[in-house]
Amino acid sequence: MKLYGGIDLHSNNSVVALLDEEDHVVYRKRLANDPALVLESLAPYREAITGLVVESTYNWYWLVDALMDAGYRVHLANTAAIVQYSGLKYSDDD
């Protein structure tokens, strides 16, 4: 089984998600921004992960360095260049 990961990076925590080839969520968790903790959380899925996408915010360097040093294939997402999904619903939608 191949897994694809995305990491939504915030100032003091990250949301790590892994999806399978059919877009089923296999793992999703909010973690403190601690490289050892992130790597430990990904470890059980290591062999199946084909790549991880990290949001290229102002503080992405430490995370990308840790992931690449651990041998993960990492991609940066330029959030300013990504077109938002046009079907987004908002909390006040009926």
Side-chain angles (χ1 to χ4, degrees):
M1 168 175 49
K2 292 182 181 178
L3 296 177
Y4 307 92
I7 301 177
D8 187 12
L9 183 59
H10 303 278
S11 61
N12 64 355
N13 67 75
S14 297
V15 177
V16 178
L18 297 174
L19 293 98
D20 66 14
E21 295 173 287
E22 296 175 358
D23 289 334
H24 296 119
V25 176
V26 173
Y27 176 87
R28 183 185 182 281
K29 191 166 184 180
R30 182 178 303 274
L31 302 170
N33 281 347
D34 174 358
L37 179 60
V38 173
L39 292 173
E40 178 184 322
S41 299
L42 293 173
Y45 308 97
R46 174 71 180 103
E47 295 304 316
I49 296 173
T50 61
L52 296 165
V53 176
V54 175
E55 183 180 15
S56 61
T57 57
Y58 69 95
N59 64 335
W60 61 267
Y61 303 94
W62 68 269
L63 179 57
V64 169
D65 287 345
L67 293 169
M68 290 178 67
D69 287 347
Y72 288 98
R73 184 173 181 195
V74 180
H75 309 273
L76 287 177
N78 179 356
T79 54
I82 296 173
V83 178
Q84 286 191 342
Y85 173 62
S86 62
L88 289 175
K89 294 194 58 86
Y90 298 95
S91 60
D92 61 345
D93 284 354
D94 291 306

